[in-house]
Amino acid sequence: MKMLLGHEWVDREETIDVRDPFDDSLIDTVPAADHDDVETALATAFEARDTARKMTTYERAQVLYRTGQIIAGDIEGFATVIAREGSKTIREARGEARRCVNTLTIAAEEAKRLQGETIPFDSFPGGEERRGYYERVPIGVVLAITPFNDPLNLVAHKLGPAIAGGNSVILKPATVTPLSGLKLTEAFMQAGLPPGVLQCITGYGAVLGDALVEDPRVRMVSFTGGVEAGERIMSRIGLKKVGMELGSNSPVIVWKDADLDWAVETCVSGAFWAAGQNCIGVQRIYIHRDVYDRFRDGFVNRTKAYRTGNKLDESTDMGPMINEGEAKRVERWVKEAVEKGARLLAGGTRDGALVPPTVLEDVPEDATIHFEEVFGPTVNLYPVDDLDEAIDRANSANYGLHAAGFSNDVTVCHRLAAGLDCGSVILNDSTDYRLDSMPFGGVKNSGLGREGLKFSLQEMTEPKVVCWYLPGL
Ligand code: NAP
């Protein structure tokens, strides 16, 4: 595919192969942008700020609705691209494409709810004979940098609010999965977005990243990805707004009175969705000792029934990791845990990029797979005796995106809600639950700021005060 740079779709002599991680087959190529292309993107976006700002709220909302409808009319096409270039099975990919329709629809709705307020200037001495208000105005150029694991919907979570807020936007999608973002960009243009307001530049983050994030014409960097790239960006960004949606190591607490069958069912899905490459994927499960054996046996049985393999096969539950290097890393972390005393209950071996769903118990706290984000299809089980101990251990990671708890005791649920240190506490469902309209983001190394359309729209606009001095009023 070509990239959308300036006002046109362009090729470059140097290209990047986009391959299916299941069989390494070539799907397509995309241009490898260079620094001249970065300059074109920045100059175009800077100039297009005016066009974007002058679009009426109605026009912005209509473009967003129409883009959503284009996707709704081609769920299979979008899902196939997601499933081929990434790790998701076709069923998971359809889910993402449908969610993307919701995301864009919510963005359109939120565009119309973007409001200011009147300001009671006379509430303090010095404000007499003054009237005024504030409204929310666009910030200018938004740079959206996105990861590989939700290559469509996480892009929509940035483009949607950026456009709803009247900004121009440059998208830099993940190099391994650029096609979904390019296809979404095409849909926006088809829906009537004026030229220049959106561009999609493809190429390596390590090559293009600094020049994009450092440029003063960019007013906000909205980043989703890993801590390493996030920290690099923070060190280069200068005086700009920033959104950082980073990783996690999500804990779940299963209490003795929980519905265990449901907890097993939803935690298995939450652990192995997208082959565990999910920022809110279940990684550590703390289970009350009284029900530990029952939960563990149920979990392992359900895990062993998982079908892995070809992502395009309707019966496949889980596909490969994004590449063999990542699969080798996960294999290494499992091996390290086992060498330190962990017991392997399921999975653990690797075939190319395919890591089967893996379950461990007795994982020592100095094992990397305990304290780091695994971002792969593995889960650790731990027995616990006391709720405070469970909460402390859940909070021990240096991340805090989602945490979950299962209990039918309302007091236990309230203690979990109050005690778990994270962006969202999900009760009686796994950490892998997100509604696209809710505030989404984390504490500690999980990031800064919140997405979820209403919230990202606040980040991508700013208040502007209008104040009249009206003598004699
Ligand atoms: P990544 O390696 O950090 O890459 C994310 C994006 O950043 C890619 O587009 C990448 O480009 C770009 N990038 C890399 N280095 C850069 C630099 N120096 N300057 C500017 N951009 C740079 O992450 P990933 O492997 O794609 O995604 C996995 C991570 O994302 C996990 O940690 C996961 O938890 C996190 N994540 C968080 C959320 C959330 O909402 N909190 C959601 C999904 C994923 P290239 O592809 O060209 O390297």
Side-chain angles (χ1 to χ4, degrees):
M1 281 181 91
K2 296 177 178 177
M3 63 180 171
L4 181 58
L5 189 71
H7 293 186
E8 51 188 12
W9 291 91
V10 299
D11 260 335
R12 288 290 173 263
E13 222 164 83
E14 197 188 326
T15 57
I16 300 169
D17 290 349
V18 184
R19 293 182 177 275
D20 184 330
F22 179 66
D23 55 9
D24 206 36
S25 57
L26 183 68
I27 307 168
D28 208 335
T29 62
V30 293
D34 61 20
H35 283 106
D36 290 342
D37 295 326
V38 168
E39 177 50 34
T40 305
L42 289 165
T44 305
F46 196 67
E47 202 185 311
R49 283 174 314 151
D50 250 13
T51 315
R53 185 171 53 81
K54 285 180 183 156
M55 285 174 76
T56 63
T57 300
Y58 178 74
E59 286 167 342
R60 295 175 203 168
Q62 284 301 107
V63 165
L64 289 159
Y65 277 128
R66 281 198 294 266
T67 309
Q69 285 316 301
I70 290 168
I71 298 167
D74 187 20
I75 292 289
E76 211 51 32
F78 277 88
T80 304
V81 173
I82 294 169
R84 282 219 65 202
E85 69 174 347
S87 280
K88 284 188 175 167
T89 64
I90 187 71
R91 285 186 283 135
E92 292 173 331
R94 283 187 198 115
E96 182 176 343
R98 287 192 204 101
R99 273 185 59 187
C100 183
V101 177
N102 294 348
T103 300
L104 295 172
T105 306
I106 301 164
E109 290 167 352
E110 290 299 340
K112 296 190 174 187
R113 293 187 193 121
L114 194 61
Q115 288 171 349
E117 289 180 316
T118 56
I119 300 168
F121 279 101
D122 64 353
S123 55
F124 276 95
E128 300 86 355
E129 300 177 308
R130 284 171 198 267
R131 285 285 185 278
Y133 59 90
Y134 75 84
E135 59 184 342
R136 297 203 71 88
V137 297
I139 56 171
V141 177
V142 174
L143 171 63
I145 304 179
T146 54
F148 74 82
N149 59 315
D150 288 300
L152 183 69
N153 193 37
L154 289 184
V155 174
H157 265 285
K158 299 189 185 306
L159 306 191
I163 290 163
N167 302 293
S168 60
V169 51
I170 301 171
L171 166 66
K172 207 306 279 173
T175 296
V176 281
T177 57
L179 304 177
S180 304
L182 284 166
K183 200 165 157 59
L184 177 59
T185 303
E186 268 179 358
F188 266 111
M189 302 324 286
Q190 219 181 311
L193 190 67
V197 173
L198 168 63
Q199 299 167 88
C200 179
I201 183 166
T202 53
Y204 300 105
V207 175
L208 310 176
D210 286 357
L212 283 166
V213 305
E214 282 172 355
D215 196 280
R217 285 167 289 187
V218 171
R219 179 80 168 119
M220 177 177 183
V221 178
S222 176
F223 173 76
T224 301
V227 172
E228 199 183 322
E231 281 182 337
R232 166 88 190 182
I233 290 169
M234 290 303 286
S235 74
R236 317 295 294 208
I237 195 169
L239 207 58
K240 290 186 182 69
K241 298 187 86 173
V242 66
M244 284 275 143
E245 296 287 339
L246 308 177
S248 197
N249 169 341
S250 304
V252 175
I253 295 173
V254 179
W255 213 236
K256 58 187 168 190
D257 54 32
D259 176 343
L260 285 192
D261 291 342
W262 166 241
V264 164
E265 182 67 30
T266 185
C267 285
V268 167
S269 158
F272 305 130
W273 184 265
Q277 297 157 116
N278 174 5
C279 57
I280 49 177
V282 174
Q283 185 169 341
R284 294 172 291 140
I285 311 182
Y286 296 95
I287 304 134
H288 194 286
R289 200 177 295 277
D290 289 358
V291 294
Y292 181 80
D293 289 356
R294 265 180 60 207
F295 182 90
R296 177 198 54 203
D297 295 349
F299 196 94
V300 169
N301 285 341
R302 183 75 192 87
T303 298
K304 286 184 172 165
Y306 246 53
R307 286 155 303 197
T308 57
N310 188 346
K311 295 167 289 171
L312 296 179
D313 186 332
E314 293 289 338
S315 66
T316 300
D317 294 313
M318 200 188 89
M321 293 194 65
I322 193 65
N323 57 46
E324 195 168 351
E326 277 296 282
K328 282 183 176 162
R329 174 186 60 77
V330 170
E331 183 182 49
R332 213 168 44 243
W333 287 15
V334 171
K335 196 160 166 266
E336 181 216 5
V338 170
E339 280 166 6
K340 288 183 170 169
R343 273 187 359 112
L344 192 60
L345 302 174
T349 49
R350 179 185 62 83
D351 179 10
L354 206 92
V355 175
T358 297
V359 186
L360 293 156
E361 67 175 356
D362 297 334
V363 178
E365 299 205 341
D366 65 347
T368 312
I369 210 162
H370 169 78
F371 61 84
E372 253 312 330
E373 174 185 42
V374 65
F375 218 60
T378 77
V379 66
N380 308 337
L381 309 183
Y382 314 81
V384 280
D385 297 294
D386 173 78
L387 192 59
D388 287 332
E389 175 210 346
I391 292 172
D392 282 351
R393 289 175 68 183
N395 286 342
S396 64
N398 204 10
Y399 294 97
L401 192 51
H402 278 197
F406 289 81
S407 171
N408 281 315
D409 179 333
V410 74
T411 307
V412 170
C413 288
H414 276 294
R415 283 174 65 190
L416 291 167
L420 289 166
D421 187 15
C422 55
S424 301
V425 176
I426 310 294
L427 295 167
N428 290 329
D429 206 337
S430 93
T431 51
D432 185 26
Y433 178 79
R434 176 183 184 183
L435 190 71
D436 290 293
S437 56
M438 74 188 216
F440 183 78
V443 301
K444 301 189 263 186
N445 273 358
S446 290
L448 289 172
R450 292 291 181 270
E451 290 199 344
L453 290 309
K454 175 178 168 184
F455 306 91
S456 26
L457 193 48
Q458 292 288 314
E459 308 270 356
M460 292 179 181
T461 55
E462 52 203 352
K464 180 175 184 182
V465 172
V466 176
C467 172
W468 274 285
Y469 175 43
L470 299 161
L473 185 77

